[in-house]
């Protein structure tokens, strides 16, 4: 049975004064100028998989060339009204599928960045983590004028751009061990770290005992990393509200399905 559609006021009424877990996706960051993955106007995308990234230097060169350009644009994005509203909600836990760091910058407490943060880099050899801003300076020094030559490349929601001309891009190794550097995010083909998943499941399961609700904002729930929490809540009888422009994979599990902008709805909910 399909959920009630467009129950804006009813959804707000259901969610108010309840314990909440909030699951957010790329649609929450569109008001910050970051395109989403699968919205009505989203471009087709073929994200690099983990297996492709570790296949050799050519793939790593292609990834970092695109990411070098995209970082300058994503790095300048600011939290929007939706991020600030989530920070005010006082949710038991906020689970974000986004890697843009905007929840952190909005001051969101009790946050799990399910897929990591694009602002951090990890070495696949020694596992040392470092700041992305420092790597960005190294990339700029090794590739003078590259960003300016490709300033028109369209930005993508993964924090990179659409670009094929990457053959001459110079990629540095880890300064400590000479290993391969990778953004500290979960690529397609990688598993979300088990401890993150366990924390999220625990928060969702606790909603049942506390008469709480799960709110999904700006996610199409296409990938299992987010959908599994909706399934767990629905199976336990916990109300689920989905706010998203466009259909989602969890629509049939929702108590209410609201076709609205995230910033608008979340601001109304947070008051």
């Amino acid at each position: 049975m399909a959920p009630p559609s467009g129950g804006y006021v009813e959804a707000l009424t259901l969610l108010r004064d309840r314990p909440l877990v909030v699951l957010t996706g790329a649609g929450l960051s569109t008001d910050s100028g970051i395109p989403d993955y699968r919205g009505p106007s989203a471009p087709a995308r073929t994200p690099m998989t983990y297996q492709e990234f570790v296949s050799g230097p050519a793939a790593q060169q292609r990834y970092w060339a695109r990411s070098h350009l995209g970082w300058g644009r994503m790095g300048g994005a600011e939290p929007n009204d939706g991020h600030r509203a989530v920070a005010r909600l006082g949710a038991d836990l906020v689970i974000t599928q986004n890697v843009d760091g905007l929840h952190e910058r909005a001051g969101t407490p009790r946050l799990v960045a399910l897929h990591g943060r694009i602002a951090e880099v990890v070495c696949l050899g020694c596992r040392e983590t470092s700041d992305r801003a420092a790597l960005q300076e190294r990339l700029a020094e090794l590739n003078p004028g590259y960003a300016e030559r490709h300033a028109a490349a369209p930005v993508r929601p993964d924090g990179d751009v659409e670009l094929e001309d990457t053959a001459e891009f110079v990629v540095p190794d880890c300064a400590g061990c000479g290993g391969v550097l990778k953004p500290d995010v979960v690529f397609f083909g990688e598993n979300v770290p088990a401890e993150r998943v366990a924390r999220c499941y625990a928060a969702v399961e606790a909603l049942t005992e506390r008469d709480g609700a799960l709110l999904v904002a700006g996610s199409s729930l296409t990938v299992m990393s987010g959908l599994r929490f909706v399934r767990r809540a629905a199976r336990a009888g916990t109300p689920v509200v989905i706010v998203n422009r466009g259909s989602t994979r969890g629509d049939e599990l929702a108590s209410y399905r609201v076709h609205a902008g995230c910033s608008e709805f979340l601001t109304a909910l947070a008051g």
Side-chain angles (χ1 to χ4, degrees):
M1 180 177 177
S5 182
Y8 191 102
V9 174
E10 294 84 355
L12 287 174
T13 301
L14 184 150
L15 294 170
R16 284 199 174 109
D17 302 320
R18 285 178 183 260
L20 297 176
V21 169
V22 182
L23 171 65
T24 70
L28 182 62
S29 294
T30 55
D31 286 348
S32 295
I34 299 174
D36 66 359
Y37 296 100
R38 300 174 182 90
S41 60
R45 58 191 289 271
T46 52
M48 183 174 288
T49 65
Y50 178 76
Q51 291 75 16
E52 183 181 0
F53 183 85
V54 299
S55 67
Q60 292 149 23
Q61 184 182 50
R62 186 164 64 255
Y63 175 84
W64 283 115
R66 295 171 174 177
S67 185
H68 173 57
L69 301 183
W71 169 258
R73 306 178 200 183
M74 180 178 281
E78 295 292 335
N80 61 50
D81 287 345
H83 295 107
R84 288 186 284 270
V86 170
R88 296 196 304 272
L89 283 177
D92 290 359
L93 187 67
V94 175
I95 307 166
T96 185
Q97 296 172 283
N98 300 339
V99 300
D100 53 34
L102 295 180
H103 278 300
E104 292 89 334
R105 292 174 62 185
T108 304
R110 298 181 294 280
L111 174 71
V112 171
L114 201 61
H115 298 153
R117 299 177 179 86
I118 200 72
E120 297 173 352
V121 178
V122 63
C123 172
L124 297 182
C126 65
R127 306 307 300 182
E128 184 74 19
T129 59
S130 57
D131 184 64
R132 172 60 193 269
L135 176 62
Q136 187 74 359
E137 292 181 4
R138 292 178 67 192
L139 291 170
E141 290 172 359
L142 291 169
N143 300 276
Y146 194 86
E148 292 75 13
R149 290 196 302 275
H150 300 287
V155 68
R156 305 195 310 176
D158 300 295
D160 59 1
V161 301
E162 295 285 353
L163 183 68
E164 298 301 326
D165 180 17
T166 62
E168 297 180 1
F169 193 79
V170 180
V171 181
D173 296 328
C174 171
C177 74
V180 173
L181 296 175
K182 172 186 170 292
D184 199 9
V185 299
V186 177
F187 277 41
F188 280 85
E190 278 189 286
N191 293 321
V192 177
E195 64 275 12
R196 294 181 199 167
V197 177
R199 183 182 175 192
C200 296
Y201 271 142
V204 171
E205 290 165 357
L207 291 172
T208 306
E209 300 176 359
R210 303 187 61 214
D211 193 28
L214 175 65
L215 169 61
V216 180
S219 175
S220 64
L221 300 172
T222 299
V223 295
M224 187 55 67
S225 65
L227 180 63
R228 56 184 157 187
F229 304 121
V230 174
R231 287 181 171 175
R232 181 67 63 93
R235 189 159 55 242
T238 298
V240 176
V241 172
I242 299 177
V243 181
N244 191 62
R245 296 193 187 279
S247 61
T248 85
R249 204 173 156 199
D251 284 352
E252 292 187 355
L253 301 174
S255 305
Y256 287 101
R257 175 67 179 85
V258 181
H259 296 270
C262 292
S263 294
E264 172 194 350
F265 182 89
L266 292 166
T267 299
L269 178 61

